[in-house]
Amino acid sequence: MLWRGWGEPEKEAPLPEPVRELLEALLGVRAPAAPAAGLDEVRLPPVALGAGALEELRAAVGAEHVRDDAEARVRHTRGKSTPDLIRMRRGDGSDAPDAVVCPGSHAEVERVLALCSGRRIAVVPFGGGTSVVGGLAPERGGFAGVIALDLRRLDRLVAVDEESMLAELEPGLRAPDAERLLGAHGLTLGHFPQSYEYATLGGFAAARSSGQASAGYGRFDDMVAGLTVATPRGTLDLGRAPRSAAGPDLRQLVLGSEGAFGVITSLRLRVRRRPGAAAYEGWRFGSFTEGARAVRALAQGGGRLPAVLRLSDETETMVGLARPDELGEGGPGAGCLLVAGHEGATPEDVAAARERTAAALSAYGGEPLGPEPGEGWARGRYSAPYLRDALLAAGATAETLETAGFWSALPALYESVRAALREALGSPLVMCHISHVYETGASLYFTVVTAQGPDPVGEWARAKRAANEAIVAAGGTISHHHGVGRDHLAAYAAEIGEVGVEILRAVKERLDPAGVLNPGVLVP
């Protein structure tokens, strides 16, 4: 994965000239004064760990699985938020870990945690490195050093229980590899977030991920039947039945905990039969309000939803962001684009699902556009992060943020966040879509593009803070699927209240008394 951007380096491409010219005319975007730094130009702090600590880490996992060279440290520095990438493009590696440690078993993870707890070494669990909320940049104060605990060696499909439709998998598996292994059994997780190509199963669980097909398959936390967690205090092994009344569900302490309470070493996940047929299509609505009304009617209609259901607002539709790999080639026209993706065992199942959806959308003023807009979205569904790299290289700040709310609160939430971003940034391009639809509400996913100023990291921090405050004031959640990390700490504390904060701190103190697990993340 590109260390200062997203994905494979060979997929880097400049913006199309018409898009670059449009950004210059509308937003005043200008090319950066200096090119991005090279790998050998990244400035790193000296390795803080002493020889004794490094030798103990090598003894715990094998000498070949501990690295403190510059390249390994750079590739494990921060995540993939826009501020993260701007810093890396400027050669700022100040948050680099002192070493990268790759355990190969639950026992080795436990040994590393015990060692680090005793030596006061901070531990950052590392999967695909795709966090966009500051989840991989720990506090260093008071610690003897920092390691990135890379779980890539925990990459097996351990067992498949087709009778119960469960699979046991290790957390270091990247999503495409998990799908390949499950596909050999005719199974799928059905979890396809935008980070699909690089994120890992452990990361999905630790960040409470939600995929683009969540309307049909559910969120990742819905898929977790059980999990094993290594903590500095010992092992948690949770989930032994499909449902239980045996007290509070302790799995929920781990799901979304972002490595602050323990390290996931095994997952028992619900799986589905792989669909035999699929079809994507587009619909046009006259306004975002009309489209949202139709989406809500579908969600509350009692039938099975399309696997994919997402509605772009007028600005996102106009720009064509629903098809980022075709940006600049024109959208479907005025109004708002809705993309629906249907899956089923047979083409007949898909045809029946399309008919049900068509009847509901037509009843609320939807105009069918045929398969091309939906298929275009499907082709480019993982392309947006590459587009962001091109925008950064052209001199634009491009970033995303997301929230969720009940249907009754969604209009005000939408307007409040847009107003906060515009007030903070002047005249940015603010786009939004509805996705991850439920009977009671939905998520709002915003994309913001503005010209880079003298301090783009500080400028975005101020805008993000304003958006966070608007979300809390409008009754939304601070994150639907990106997580808390460091970026959302203050707003998360406001959302859960003083008692909620005390509960998190108590859990942290009990499971991680030395406070070495991802310090500064999640727990206010």
Side-chain angles (χ1 to χ4, degrees), residues 10 36 52 67 70 95 138 179 192 206 218 239 295 327 346 350 418 438 445 455 463 466 474:
E10 56 268 26
R67 292 179 59 180
D95 290 318
E179 285 296 315
F192 304 104
V295 170
L327 198 68
T346 66
V350 170
R418 291 205 307 165
Y438 311 96
Y445 190 98
D455 178 21

Side-chain angles (χ1 to χ4, degrees), residues 25-49:
L26 290 180
L27 302 176
V29 171
R30 301 287 190 274
L39 182 63
D40 59 351
E41 298 174 307
V42 178
R43 302 177 299 278
L44 297 174
V47 173
L49 294 176

Side-chain angles (χ1 to χ4, degrees), residues 45-137:
V47 173
L49 294 176
L54 286 169
E55 283 307 309
E56 288 186 25
L57 289 168
R58 292 182 180 116
V61 302
E64 68 274 27
H65 302 305
V66 177
R67 292 179 59 180
D68 61 354
D69 58 280
E71 180 173 351
R73 295 176 68 201
V74 167
R75 292 189 181 279
H76 290 77
T77 301
R78 308 189 188 95
K80 298 297 183 183
S81 72
T82 291
D84 290 341
L85 299 186
I86 290 174
R87 289 187 179 106
M88 295 308 290
R89 292 177 67 87
R90 295 184 172 187
D92 176 3
S94 56
D95 290 318
D98 297 299
V100 179
V101 180
C102 301
S105 67
H106 175 85
E108 288 187 359
V109 173
E110 284 197 310
R111 285 201 291 272
V112 170
L113 295 187
L115 186 163
C116 290
S117 185
R119 282 186 169 268
R120 293 279 298 167
I121 298 170
V123 179
V124 181
F126 195 98
T130 59
S131 170
V132 292
V133 291
L136 299 175

